[in-house]
Amino acid sequence: MRTESELPDDFPNIKPKRWRENIQPRRSRSRLWLLAAAALVIVLPMGAGLYTTWLWFQQLGYQTVFTTTLLTKAGLGAAVGLITAAVIWINLKLALRLSPETSPFARRFVIEGQEIPSPDFSALAPRLAPLAALAAGAFAGLAGWGSWETFLRIRHQAPFGETDPIFGRDIAFYFFTLPALDAVADWLLLLVGVSLAGTALIYLIHGAIDFGRTRLSFSIERGARAHLLGLFAALFLVFAFETWLARPNLLFGESGPVAGASYTDIHASLPILSARMAVAVVVAALAIASVFLRSNRLILAGVGIYLLTIVAGWIYPASVQRFSVAPNELAKETLYIQYNIAATRKAFALDKIEERELSGEKTLTSQDIQKNQQTIKNIRLWDHRQLLDTFAQLQVLRTYYDFHSVDNDRYHINGELKQVMLSPRELSSDRLPNRNWINEHFTFTHGFGLTLGPVDQVTPEGLPVLYIKDIPPASSVPSLKIDRPEIYFGETSNDRVYVKTNTKEFNYPSGDQNVFQNYAGEGGVSIGSKWRQLLFAIRFGDLKLLLSNDLTADSLVLFDRNIRERLQQIAPYLRFDNDPYLVIHEGRLFWIADAYTVSDRYPYSQTVNGVNYIRNSVKAVVDAYHGHAQLYIADESDPLVQTYARIYPGTLKPLSEMPEGLRAHLRYPEDIFKLQSYVYSTFHMDQPQIFYNKEDLWTVASMGESDGKSQTMDPYYTIMKLPGEKSEEFILMLPFTPKDKNNLAAWMAARSDGEHYGKLVVYRFPKQKVIFGPNQVVARINQDPEVSRQRTLWDQRGSSVNMGTLMVIPIEESLIYVQPLYLRSESSRIPELRRVIVAAGERIAMEPTLEAALARIFGETPPIDLKSQTPDLKTGETPAQPQPAAATSNLAEQAKQHYDRAIQSQREGDWARYGEEIKRLGAVLEQMSKQR
């Protein structure tokens, strides 16, 4: 008997029938197994990911977000995909049916006088047609899947109550309806375009379209001609629809001097678009009429006219712009510049800014300083970078802890509003000395506590005073006591951890020993069953999870622990601020994050970084221990947040439901303030002529550095009494200078307390008076002989001098500038605050303390005893303040200060300063002797 290799080449044609029948089922079964295995590899991870994600949303109480979003994506994607595939397949099937059945497509082409037969593709068309329809349907389905938010927004849209200045439509039309119509137009173009191209190709292949021997002659069978003309008519109706949509989209144009429709757009482009739309409708009608006519001349004439409107759309607006607008641009564009100014100010919430004028004539006195003690006591002397470096050296305590950022906030301490800087101590798993699977996922699971201190107080060694420090956190202020210091959810935490397991969780170090404590919170997803362990092992790609003996029936998995990513999942429609901050409330730690609703669909508004509308509409709170997340509506007038509240009912709560203790710590966020400041530097000019000529253009103030470079100032928080107000408040502020100049033009403040929250105030200086700006002040400080001498002396001794951020501090209707000076020795990386420089008008003083520098400039004012502001570590109470009425006690305190500064100068080798302090000490002692 022959082996298989010995069989002849034509053996398959002579196989016994039974032998062939036995082979075929085996091949079919193999293919089925391969398909099943491939489906399992694809579907199982997707299913595991979806189910575990749903468990995560369910645990947080936001399953509405998951189900609404997923069902909308799937439903819209499936509907669009199926409709697309069905319509295209129907057209292709109809083309196949209307094509000649007997035509073998044995047509001939004439090439260089010779007839060459073409290959026969007609047999492939019935096989490729359904594949082409499915491919187009899949592409359209993916587009529909990605348009889920557009669909939900048009369905649940809230009106703005404002209309655009050209068409008079509600702004909601541009935010919600127009994007949806644009998406529909793109889909219809795909639908009709693919159908037309596919049917034409089928008719061509099957010979329904027959080209003659000349290049321009061809004939089409009657059924095929009617089909193609119908699709051709549908195509031009889509063109007409797109042209109609192009009219309102003119309001987002960039062709004129400002954003929005210009004079040329309204008086040239808009009429052309109207004409093109009418012509497209006429061409569609002619195509339908031609079904009953033999001639195609009417269609060709219509298409020719349509093409002329396209050419006219290029030539006519350009001619109007060049010969009519350009010679008289300001006169022609004034109205549209007004539209742009009004819309931009409205879209960026600048229309409600309160503008106040400052005289610039006020000269500060010691009485002004005394009246604004609360402002002086809250001047920030510590830069974020310097403070982070200090914390890294003094408060990290273990290598696996890290201070990621420093936040500014305010607390009432002993009945006084006090600005503080705080930084959470988070766990950094990549710094573990022994990194392994157990340590990273079971043992080291969380950060611990924070450091917190006042912004203005310094120890005699030049280090920050801390109200909260060490592990476990020790608080010198009873109201800042922390009962639950564990941080399972933070800014750096994002790797998964397993809690309530057989492995002891490291809580905090205590000397040479470690303290362990298992998680007792409410966060996390149950992972006690083997089924869930399998699903999460697939999700994380972690097979060790299935082999672990440390999991119990009560075990939980905490994942997506980074608060920004956590919030972004439960609110994908919001844009979150880059700086969430930690708050102490009732002994627990909470993260507060600001969220924005943004868009680029506000008509006539200027676009900045892809945004031309923004509102700080939501405040988010995340429990650092439990992981609970709550979203509160901060701006109920925002139509965008109203729309999302309708889409996801119950997920956005009124701000009144936020605990009062947390509401007291809400602050105006930096990201939106930066954007508003940038926009306002141009759009404070509300007169078209001034705006057009950029006569009063501002820039955010820059601060010079010692190396000659300058950097744009960042906004900063402070507590101060605004000019014209009765009490101090927590604000965010930023100064402005005129374009290409260094003198101060104005400063903007965002208020954060009580009923004034969210209000923006701008204080303008008179243009006829020069007020020194930050760059000029820094230059004067660097040129000051005393400052220069001291810096040179320190540099020669090997120490590194770092100049801190220059703070612009408004007092009454004037300003003082404060800049800290830090010193780093060669042997230590810890920055020490060694000098405080104060500039006021023409005067500059550099002293070891802020109160000393102020006293040097404004005279011997009653000193601000920063040490007396520090609560006692044992009692938690602040010592009583010395009363200014006791003159002798005041002089004694001054004498002590001069003596301490003299000793400090002696240690630093600054003998010139030492001599000055001794002289001042002698003068004070002489006054004391006279009083006796």
Side-chain angles (χ1 to χ4, degrees):
M1 183 176 181
R2 295 187 185 183
T3 63
E4 186 175 352
S5 59
E6 297 174 336
L7 294 175
D9 293 339
D10 60 347
F11 178 75
N13 296 324
I14 61 174
K15 288 180 183 177
K17 183 177 181 181
R18 184 177 299 174
W19 193 82
R20 291 198 302 270
E21 289 176 352
N22 291 336
I23 293 272
Q24 295 300 329
R26 293 177 186 176
R27 292 179 178 176
S28 300
R29 285 195 295 268
S30 298
R31 291 173 183 172
L32 288 175
W33 279 110
L34 287 175
L35 289 175
L40 188 65
V41 170
I42 297 174
V43 173
L44 187 59
M46 291 178 58
L50 281 175
Y51 180 66
T52 54
T53 300
W54 181 80
L55 292 175
W56 184 87
F57 275 93
Q58 184 187 46
Q59 186 271 322
L60 284 174
Y62 286 89
Q63 56 266 44
T64 301
V65 175
F66 178 81
T67 54
T68 300
T69 303
L70 181 61
L71 292 177
T72 303
K73 287 180 176 180
L76 190 62
V80 171
L82 289 175
I83 293 173
T84 302
V87 170
I88 293 176
W89 167 238
I90 289 172
N91 278 282
L92 298 182
K93 186 69 174 177
L94 180 60
L96 290 170
R97 179 169 296 181
L98 295 177
S99 296
E101 296 181 1
T102 57
S103 173
F105 193 56
R107 294 167 49 247
R108 299 175 179 274
F109 293 95
V110 179
I111 300 179
E112 295 182 356
Q114 296 184 357
E115 290 187 355
I116 299 177
S118 64
D120 185 7
F121 295 107
S122 58
L124 291 176
R127 300 177 183 178
L128 295 179
L131 296 178
L134 289 175
F139 179 81
L142 290 175
W145 175 284
S147 301
W148 65 274
E149 189 173 0
T150 302
F151 173 78
L152 288 175
R153 294 196 337 170
I154 190 176
R155 184 179 176 187
H156 300 277
Q157 62 179 287
F160 274 68
E162 306 162 9
T163 58
D164 75 90
I166 302 300
F167 301 105
R169 293 191 178 97
D170 191 281
I171 302 299
F173 171 82
Y174 299 93
F175 273 67
F176 309 122
T177 305
L178 186 57
L181 295 179
D182 285 333
V184 170
D186 292 339
W187 174 55
L188 292 176
L189 184 62
L190 171 70
L191 196 65
V192 177
V194 172
S195 296
L196 180 60
T199 53
L201 184 61
I202 288 175
Y203 286 134
L204 181 64
I205 291 174
H206 282 264
I209 302 176
D210 187 22
F211 289 92
R213 295 182 177 274
T214 62
R215 295 180 179 179
L216 296 179
S217 64
F218 66 93
S219 62
I220 307 177
E221 293 194 0
R222 184 173 181 179
R225 182 172 180 272
H227 188 192
L228 291 175
L229 285 174
L231 291 175
F232 191 77
L235 180 64
F236 269 83
L237 288 177
V238 173
F239 287 163
F241 183 47
E242 287 189 327
T243 306
W244 180 80
L245 294 177
R247 291 159 47 87
N249 277 311
L250 285 175
L251 303 191
F252 304 102
E254 299 284 347
S255 61
V258 294
S262 64
Y263 178 92
T264 300
D265 291 329
I266 300 302
H267 293 87
S269 298
L270 188 59
I272 293 293
L273 288 175
S274 300
R276 185 185 304 167
M277 179 176 62
V279 171
V281 173
V282 170
V283 171
L286 291 175
I288 297 298
S290 296
V291 173
F292 307 99
L293 302 174
R294 288 190 174 185
S295 175
N296 296 322
R297 293 178 181 178
L298 291 178
I299 298 178
L300 295 177
V303 171
I305 296 174
Y306 183 81
L307 294 176
L308 286 178
T309 62
I310 294 178
V311 175
W314 301 334
I315 298 176
Y316 181 59
S319 301
V320 170
Q321 178 65 32
R322 181 173 182 180
F323 299 108
S324 178
V325 177
N328 310 281
E329 189 170 49
L330 178 58
K332 298 285 188 180
E333 301 286 2
T334 294
L335 180 62
Y336 308 102
I337 293 175
Q338 289 177 342
Y339 294 157
N340 173 253
I341 293 173
T344 302
R345 289 171 66 95
K346 184 73 175 179
F348 287 94
L350 303 176
D351 57 321
K352 296 180 181 179
I353 285 183
E354 182 181 356
E355 298 183 353
R356 302 177 183 177
E357 300 292 334
L358 297 175
S359 65
E361 304 291 339
K362 174 71 175 178
T363 300
L364 290 178
T365 65
S366 59
Q367 288 75 21
D368 295 322
I369 300 297
Q370 186 62 30
K371 285 194 306 182
N372 291 272
Q373 291 272 318
Q374 189 70 9
T375 297
I376 300 299
K377 293 176 185 178
N378 286 283
I379 294 177
R380 179 164 63 85
L381 300 180
W382 286 100
D383 281 357
H384 294 74
R385 183 178 62 183
Q386 309 295 342
L387 203 56
L388 270 180
D389 291 345
T390 301
F391 290 163
Q393 295 298 313
L394 301 179
Q395 285 294 305
V396 164
L397 305 180
R398 292 291 188 273
T399 58
Y400 40 78
Y401 287 127
D402 186 26
F403 290 102
H404 175 71
S405 63
V406 175
D407 297 314
N408 285 270
D409 202 356
R410 72 285 197 197
Y411 289 83
H412 281 91
I413 299 176
N414 298 313
E416 187 177 86
L417 187 64
K418 192 70 180 173
Q419 184 179 354
V420 299
M421 301 179 76
L422 67 152
S423 184
R425 185 185 292 105
E426 298 198 55
L427 182 73
S428 180
S429 59
D430 58 350
R431 295 185 180 182
L432 289 173
N434 182 21
R435 294 190 64 184
N436 56 53
W437 189 73
I438 293 293
N439 279 345
E440 290 186 26
H441 300 295
F442 286 81
T443 305
F444 294 89
T445 57
H446 57 274
F448 201 85
L450 54 84
T451 57
L452 181 148
V455 297
D456 62 318
Q457 296 179 26
V458 187
T459 67
E461 294 79 18
L463 300 177
V465 171
L466 296 178
Y467 292 159
I468 301 177
K469 60 181 179 180
D470 299 336
I471 297 178
S475 174
S476 61
V477 180
S479 60
L480 297 180
K481 183 181 178 182
I482 303 175
D483 300 318
R484 181 58 75 184
E486 295 89 351
I487 301 176
Y488 281 86
F489 302 86
E491 291 186 89
T492 61
S493 306
N494 204 30
D495 202 2
R496 65 194 180 279
V497 295
Y498 305 98
V499 296
K500 296 185 179 181
T501 66
N502 292 326
T503 302
K504 293 182 178 180
E505 285 185 57
F506 170 78
N507 200 30
Y508 63 88
S510 180
D512 295 333
Q513 302 296 322
N514 291 330
V515 177
F516 295 88
Q517 178 177 327
N518 284 337
Y519 180 69
E522 302 170 357
V525 177
S526 175
I527 196 173
S529 68
K530 289 296 183 181
W531 169 245
R532 289 198 176 183
Q533 291 171 21
L534 172 63
L535 293 177
F536 279 101
I538 294 173
R539 177 191 178 101
F540 299 132
D542 187 0
L543 294 180
K544 292 180 181 179
L545 188 62
L546 294 174
L547 306 176
S548 175
N549 295 322
D550 293 310
L551 297 175
T552 69
D554 298 324
S555 295
L556 303 171
V557 56
L558 309 182
F559 59 103
D560 290 333
R561 297 188 296 139
N562 180 283
I563 55 173
R564 290 190 71 240
E565 296 180 11
R566 190 176 187 84
L567 290 170
Q568 196 66 67
Q569 288 200 58
I570 66 175
Y573 49 88
L574 297 175
R575 183 176 298 183
F576 286 89
D577 193 87
N578 289 313
D579 186 27
Y581 56 100
L582 201 63
V583 171
I584 303 172
H585 173 61
E586 297 181 348
R588 295 164 58 192
L589 302 179
F590 295 87
W591 294 96
I592 296 182
D594 288 278
Y596 311 108
T597 48
V598 299
S599 178
D600 60 353
R601 304 298 299 178
Y602 200 99
Y604 270 106
S605 177
Q606 185 68 45
T607 299
V608 180
N609 296 330
V611 172
N612 74 356
Y613 174 90
I614 186 169
R615 290 292 185 272
N616 177 211
S617 298
V618 175
K619 301 288 185 179
V621 177
V622 179
D623 191 313
Y625 185 72
H626 298 288
H628 298 159
Q630 304 294 335
L631 303 175
Y632 300 95
I633 299 178
D635 184 357
E636 295 183 353
S637 64
D638 175 32
L640 273 178
V641 81
Q642 293 174 18
T643 298
Y644 289 119
R646 295 177 180 181
I647 295 173
Y648 304 110
T651 60
L652 293 165
K653 301 179 179 180
L655 190 62
S656 58
E657 294 186 14
M658 180 186 289
E660 185 177 351
L662 291 176
R663 283 207 309 272
H665 291 278
L666 297 181
R667 67 186 194 186
Y668 201 88
E670 288 188 57
D671 284 357
I672 189 174
F673 187 73
K674 288 180 181 179
L675 185 60
Q676 289 174 316
S677 301
Y678 175 80
V679 175
Y680 188 76
S681 64
T682 299
F683 285 86
H684 71 276
M685 299 179 288
D686 55 4
Q687 299 301 315
Q689 182 173 355
I690 297 175
F691 183 92
Y692 177 80
N693 294 319
K694 300 295 187 287
E695 297 177 19
D696 192 24
L697 188 63
W698 295 348
T699 59
V700 174
S702 59
M703 185 185 72
E705 296 182 347
S706 57
D707 57 3
K709 299 180 180 179
S710 63
Q711 60 180 3
T712 301
M713 293 185 68
D714 289 324
Y716 51 90
Y717 293 98
T718 187
I719 292 177
M720 62 166 289
K721 184 194 298 181
L722 291 173
E725 300 296 330
K726 297 180 180 179
S727 60
E728 286 77 12
E729 56 187 288
F730 190 64
I731 67 166
L732 180 64
M733 69 166 292
L734 191 64
F736 297 99
T737 59
K739 177 70 173 176
D740 298 326
K741 293 184 180 180
N742 290 322
N743 60 287
L744 210 59
W747 56 275
M748 177 188 286
R751 309 172 75 174
S752 297
D753 289 342
E755 62 181 5
H756 299 300
Y757 178 86
K759 294 181 179 179
L760 299 178
V761 186
V762 172
Y763 291 88
R764 293 172 174 257
F765 291 101
K767 296 180 181 179
Q768 65 273 16
K769 185 173 178 61
V770 175
I771 307 295
F772 287 138
N775 239 339
Q776 294 169 318
V777 172
V778 170
R780 292 178 61 238
I781 289 174
N782 292 334
Q783 295 168 5
D784 183 82
E786 182 181 356
V787 176
S788 178
R789 182 181 70 249
Q790 185 62 63
R791 292 183 60 180
T792 302
L793 178 63
W794 275 322
D795 287 336
Q796 289 175 348
R797 297 179 61 182
S799 298
S800 174
V801 178
N802 298 114
M803 304 297 291
T805 300
L806 184 73
M807 307 291 292
V808 183
I809 310 298
I811 295 180
E812 300 298 328
E813 290 199 6
S814 188
L815 300 169
I816 63 171
Y817 291 88
V818 178
Q819 185 174 33
L821 185 149
Y822 307 97
L823 197 64
R824 293 177 188 246
S825 64
E826 290 181 335
S827 59
S828 174
R829 296 174 56 190
I830 303 176
E832 300 174 0
L833 179 59
R834 286 304 177 190
R835 292 290 185 271
V836 179
I837 304 170
V838 176
E842 300 289 341
R843 297 165 291 177
I844 295 176
M846 182 177 72
E847 296 291 337
T849 62
L850 173 62
E851 70 272 18
L854 290 171
R856 185 174 170 190
I857 289 181
F858 297 104
E860 293 294 343
T861 60
I864 302 168
D865 187 0
L866 295 179
K867 293 182 180 179
S868 67
Q869 300 291 322
T870 306
D872 185 84
L873 295 178
K874 296 181 179 179
T875 65
E877 297 179 355
T878 301
Q881 294 284 339
Q883 298 300 318
T888 303
S889 175
N890 183 33
L891 290 173
E893 182 64 30
Q894 293 182 26
K896 184 178 183 303
Q897 290 181 2
H898 289 306
Y899 173 77
D900 290 341
R901 294 176 202 149
I903 296 301
Q904 184 66 32
S905 300
Q906 184 184 35
R907 292 174 181 171
E908 296 174 354
D910 188 355
W911 298 107
R913 169 70 66 182
Y914 174 81
E916 293 176 4
E917 294 298 338
I918 291 297
K919 288 181 181 179
R920 294 175 183 173
L921 175 61
V924 173
L925 292 175
E926 184 177 351
Q927 293 182 35
M928 293 177 66
S929 64
K930 290 180 180 179
Q931 290 187 5
R932 292 176 182 173

